[in-house]
Amino acid sequence: MSTVDLTGQVALVTGGAGGIGAAVVRRLAKLGARVAVVDLNAAGAQRLASAAGGIAIVGDVTDPSVMPEAVAQVEKELGRLDIVHLNAGIGGGQAGVDDALDVVRYRKLVGVNVDHVVYGLCAAVPALRRQGGGKIVITSSLAGLAAMPSDPLYTLTKHAVVGYVRAAGEALAADGIVVAALCPGFVDTLLLGAAKEEFDAVSFPLLTPSDIADALQAVLTDAEPGEAWIIQPGGQASAYRFRGVPGVGGGQMPPDVVLGRR
């Protein structure tokens, strides 16, 4: 695993009070960073923040005002912002392919998995520019790269995140800001819910939150702008290689056309 010294740097992690977020908070603190933990769970956020030598910020990341306020608080209390991990996420909980769509649950899913990512990135960019650059890592999923028929709505949100990362990564590269995505397989967290028993019954290998923290550490040192890194049990995290968009005669589309510049 690549080594990195984050002494003197400040990080912000959403969904940081448990699961993947908690593992990342602990890892960043171990590497020397002070960490701001953003979560709805006030007690959990405070506990992790105290251990990380950082601060706890309690808020609903689907509220458009929360991420700008969180970034402002981080700069005020910790003096700077260098690393942002937009990690908060929830499962779909419904198919979304029939007439029985629960719109309230759907909007919550999109609010956490997509809106918070946009709010968080837009809020963080000015702070990172003030430091001459930085890193934004967003938790997506393998469902952001391949269809997950058991949860089409979750698949929708995670595909959206990957597309956003790929575009934002190029758009912000000139500012020295690296935007990348983590795309893990199934991780042993509370998000699995009742499916955990089914996985255990067939001895299905699951990732641990520590595995994702390992991957994030690798991304901080090795990722290129716009990359989506795959993490699976027993393997090393690595960047997914996207194929080019096919053009006339089977060739690739010219970059300017792909990027909408013509």
Side-chain angles (χ1 to χ4, degrees), residues 8 19 23 31-32 41 49 55 89 131 133-134 150 171 201 218 224 230 234 236 262:
L31 295 171
N41 179 350
I55 60 175
Q131 296 304 319
S150 62
E224 296 293 327
I230 298 173
Q236 294 291 322
R262 292 183 183 175

Side-chain angles (χ1 to χ4, degrees), residues 186-206:
F186 292 105
V187 186
D188 190 0
T189 69
L190 294 178
L191 190 62
L192 285 182
K196 174 66 162 60
E197 295 182 3
E198 300 177 26
F199 286 127
D200 289 344
V202 297
S203 299
F204 187 91
L206 297 172

Side-chain angles (χ1 to χ4, degrees), residues 206-260:
L206 297 172
L207 291 160
T208 68
S210 181
D211 292 329
I212 313 308
D214 288 345
L216 179 127
Q217 183 172 332
V219 163
L220 290 179
T221 57
D222 299 330
E224 296 293 327
E227 288 186 336
W229 281 52
I230 298 173
I231 312 105
Q232 285 282 48
Q236 294 291 322
S238 60
Y240 181 75
R241 301 304 176 191
F242 292 91
R243 296 180 61 186
V245 178
V248 178
Q252 292 190 4
M253 293 283 281
D256 284 345
V257 174
V258 174
L259 297 172

Side-chain angles (χ1 to χ4, degrees), residues 85-98:
H85 184 198
L86 300 174
N87 167 73
I90 59 175
Q94 60 177 326
V97 293
D98 53 35

